[in-house]
Amino acid sequence: MFHEPKEMGLIAIATQQTQGKGRGGNDWLSPKGGALMTLLVTIPVSSSLGQRIAFVQHLMSLAVVEAVRTLPGYEDIELNLKWPNDIYYSNLMKVGGVLVNSTLMGNMFHILIGCGFNVTNSNPTICINDLIYEHNKRYETNIDPLRVDTLIARSVTALERLIDIFQKKGPNGILPSYYKYWVHSGQKIRLGGEDGPLVEIVGLDDCGFLQVLQDGKTIVTVHPDGNSFDMIRNLIIPKRS
């Protein structure tokens, strides 16, 4: 990947994985029907995104959500963002996720973005076409189910646009769109465990890390590496290795 021409993109797509990996050494289940890809992106260290490289996972997650929700008729499909790297149905169930690995060579980050999300496979959780089916049933609409190849193409196109915006405008160029879809606005959670301090989520800081308000006065930064958001128990806890 270090010898690809600068102007040439590189993506690997699988219809199924047998050894998919998630954060913290977790296995990633990859049945047929999911959009499964690894994308190579090169980012200059001196650029706006190069100085805030943690934002890459947020941009990829946002790109997937926008791939669906910017389609005419699909704006109300309940596909959302969960910190730091998950794509969710409402705030209830995981639909997909992002895993980023970066290598610094000279003045360039070579970034491998692994992304997988359920499109036509209802298991192991729920898929985008299930959400479309429920939307049609609830609102008596007739929007079509979506295809894996269509959503991969739209996601990559959206990511390219989001990177371009970020490089020109920094975090403020993309955060309004990110907050539009994320599930944490005003959410109160406990840090570190069930006996940890109760804090209120404020947003992302300039580096892409989570900011929470503790005791109504102190802003605390929570790094994505090493931490996981347990939506069921409403906790941010250390990620098990």
Side-chain angles (χ1 to χ4, degrees):
M1 69 180 183
F2 301 119
H3 303 289
E4 290 293 333
K6 184 178 178 181
E7 67 277 5
M8 185 175 182
L10 183 64
I11 186 171
I13 298 171
T15 56
Q16 192 170 12
Q17 293 178 130
T18 57
Q19 296 183 23
K21 298 297 181 183
R23 293 177 74 222
N26 290 337
D27 291 332
W28 180 273
L29 301 179
S30 311
K32 290 182 179 179
L36 310 168
M37 57 182 162
T38 299
L39 179 67
L40 172 63
V41 176
T42 54
I43 303 292
V45 174
S46 60
S47 68
S48 181
L49 185 55
Q51 295 295 301
R52 304 167 179 86
I53 208 67
F55 264 102
V56 170
Q57 62 185 334
H58 306 319
L59 297 183
M60 186 71 246
S61 300
L62 176 58
V64 173
V65 173
E66 286 195 345
V68 175
R69 299 191 64 169
T70 60
L71 274 168
Y74 295 78
E75 296 90 347
D76 295 327
I77 298 299
E78 292 187 74
L79 200 63
N80 292 319
L81 298 164
K82 168 183 166 285
W83 183 87
N85 64 332
D86 287 335
I87 300 149
Y88 252 59
Y89 158 51
S90 183
N91 62 349
L92 301 172
M93 200 174 301
K94 186 170 180 175
V95 178
V98 175
L99 184 64
V100 176
N101 289 293
S102 63
T103 301
L104 179 61
M105 296 282 288
N107 63 353
M108 298 289 289
F109 279 112
H110 297 262
I111 301 172
L112 289 173
I113 306 173
C115 180
F117 53 97
N118 302 336
V119 181
T120 67
N121 53 305
S122 298
N123 293 315
T125 55
I126 197 170
C127 68
I128 289 170
N129 282 347
D130 289 339
L131 307 188
I132 293 170
Y133 173 81
E134 290 299 325
H135 182 275
N136 284 336
K137 186 177 178 181
R138 182 184 302 176
Y139 297 106
E140 297 183 351
T141 54
N142 194 33
I143 56 176
D144 293 328
L146 296 172
R147 292 166 42 128
V148 170
D149 55 353
T150 299
L151 289 184
I152 289 176
R154 287 184 58 84
S155 297
V156 172
T157 301
L159 177 64
E160 186 175 43
R161 180 181 58 81
L162 290 169
I163 290 175
D164 186 56
I165 292 171
F166 197 101
Q167 296 290 41
K168 292 176 180 176
K169 300 182 179 180
N172 290 336
I174 62 95
L175 282 176
S177 296
Y178 186 84
Y179 293 143
K180 178 181 177 180
Y181 298 120
W182 87 329
V183 298
H184 304 301
S185 294
Q187 185 178 6
K188 293 186 177 181
I189 50 96
R190 292 196 178 274
L191 283 180
E194 294 178 356
D195 297 325
L198 184 66
V199 299
E200 181 177 347
I201 293 178
V202 176
L204 300 183
D205 70 8
D206 192 58
C207 293
F209 302 148
L210 190 71
Q211 288 190 314
V212 298
L213 183 65
Q214 186 172 343
D215 300 325
K217 57 184 179 181
T218 305
I219 297 292
V220 177
T221 297
V222 182
H223 288 225
D225 290 345
N227 288 299
S228 178
F229 205 127
D230 188 327
M231 292 288 288
I232 296 175
R233 294 189 292 161
N234 216 31
L235 304 172
I236 290 180
I237 53 177
K239 189 80 175 177
R240 290 177 296 178
S241 60

